[in-house]
Amino acid sequence: MEKGNSIYQGKAKELYLTNQPEVLWVEYLDQATALNGVKKDKVVGKGQMNNQITSKIFEILADQGIESHFIEKISNTEQLIKAVDIIPLEVVVRNFAAGSFSKRLNVEEGVELPFPIVEFYYKDDALDDPFINDMHVRVLDIASDEEVKEIKELALKVNEELKKLFASVNIKLIDFKIEVGRDSQGNILLADEISPDTCRLWDMDTNDHLDKDIYRRDLGDLIPVYEEVLNRINTL
Ligand code: C5P
């Protein structure tokens, strides 16, 4: 496989073409951002942590029958993925109140929700990724009714598998965000990454944060925390 031109530089990843049209090359960067990019820092070692954590999680999900865009990890910081058209939605699943849910609805962080909920945010930096509902998704022609149903089902299925996976390494899955895309046949496929950048992970015994809230909230050094998550996941 040959690495081609860069086609996209995101906040924490850079995407390259390859000599195969349906395959892209991703590099995980040593960059941390928060507040939609307003807070931004170089964090040496973060790229390889997230690449390893995401790769391992996508492999475990595939074993459980949940396909994703992930093909293979090709180095500490790089993966090959299937090219998909990303649907401009941030799909958030919440098991416990935290973050924007707690702020918006005045529910204390850590309160368990009676059942997991799925939320949609419209992926648009200029608009600051606004919270939208199913009807907005239809009206803005982001996805069809059938796709919305499928995306919600997929998000809840991913939640069930991730809850089990993290519980087995003594981590409580508070909430997380996934992105989905359409492959060349129009099938919905899990995409992007699943890492401490995109999940809220609390230690089951201490409720210590094992995720990007360390950086967002200036709670300390991010690398030892991500290393802890990687070490625990590597025991699986
Ligand atoms: O900030 P909020 O509470 O809405 O975040 C919910 C979940 O989605 C958190 O796990 C957070 O890490 C993730 N998220 C993300 N990327 C964003 C916004 C939220 O990964 N742009």
Side-chain angles (χ1 to χ4, degrees):
M1 185 72 56
E2 281 169 34
K3 190 175 179 182
N5 291 334
S6 168
I7 49 166
Y8 176 76
Q9 158 118 45
K11 297 189 187 94
K13 295 187 286 296
E14 183 155 8
L15 267 184
Y16 298 85
L17 295 171
T18 68
N19 50 337
Q20 285 185 26
E22 302 223 332
V23 179
L24 297 177
W25 187 299
V26 192
E27 185 182 354
Y28 280 68
L29 306 173
D30 280 347
Q31 199 154 278
T33 64
L35 309 168
N36 202 7
V38 172
K39 182 172 153 87
K40 186 168 161 181
D41 287 284
K42 185 176 164 75
V43 181
V44 175
K46 175 172 171 287
Q48 59 138 331
M49 298 284 164
N50 275 353
N51 183 43
Q52 290 179 75
I53 293 169
T54 294
S55 298
K56 181 83 181 182
I57 290 177
F58 279 149
E59 280 165 11
I60 295 172
L61 289 179
D63 288 345
Q64 302 306 319
I66 301 176
E67 288 304 321
S68 73
H69 72 166
F70 176 75
I71 300 173
E72 62 172 325
K73 176 160 76 76
I74 49 171
S75 80
N76 267 352
T77 55
E78 295 162 301
Q79 293 175 11
L80 295 180
I81 57 166
K82 289 179 198 150
V84 295
D85 280 332
I86 290 287
I87 295 175
L89 286 176
E90 302 209 326
V91 182
V92 169
V93 180
R94 300 181 190 272
N95 297 305
F96 294 83
S100 68
F101 179 96
S102 290
K103 212 176 250 178
R104 187 181 308 119
L105 302 171
N106 194 23
V107 180
E108 196 186 337
E109 288 205 313
V111 171
E112 187 166 11
L113 305 181
F115 51 87
I117 60 166
V118 181
E119 296 175 347
F120 293 130
Y121 295 82
Y122 182 31
K123 240 173 97 74
D124 185 315
D125 281 344
L127 298 176
D128 232 355
D129 301 340
F131 184 31
I132 57 174
N133 67 23
D134 299 22
M135 291 190 199
H136 294 104
V137 175
R138 289 292 300 119
V139 149
L140 296 174
D141 205 19
I142 296 170
S144 69
D145 270 345
E146 298 73 43
E147 285 177 325
V148 168
K149 192 164 167 272
E150 200 181 323
I151 292 167
K152 281 186 176 171
E153 281 169 8
L154 173 63
L156 291 172
K157 212 162 119 197
V158 170
N159 184 44
E160 288 315 306
E161 292 307 326
L162 288 183
K163 272 200 292 194
K164 273 192 268 172
L165 184 161
F166 285 118
S168 70
V169 292
N170 213 39
I171 290 175
K172 198 151 72 174
L173 178 62
I174 303 297
D175 57 33
F176 64 95
K177 183 246 349 181
I178 56 169
E179 294 185 24
V180 294
R182 296 183 188 97
D183 69 11
S184 52
Q185 276 91 52
N187 301 311
I188 299 284
L189 206 57
L190 176 61
D192 195 50
E193 67 178 280
I194 298 179
S195 73
D197 270 12
T198 62
C199 302
R200 279 199 178 89
L201 306 170
W202 291 9
D203 181 88
M204 252 184 204
D205 299 326
T206 63
N207 280 341
D208 282 348
H209 296 279
L210 301 173
D211 56 57
K212 200 165 90 172
D213 277 347
I214 296 278
Y215 174 74
R216 294 188 188 102
R217 302 177 184 189
D218 292 320
L219 299 175
D221 191 358
L222 191 131
I223 289 298
V225 167
Y226 280 37
E227 209 159 25
E228 174 69 23
V229 173
L230 177 62
N231 288 340
R232 290 197 202 185
I233 280 182
N234 271 342
T235 62
L236 296 174

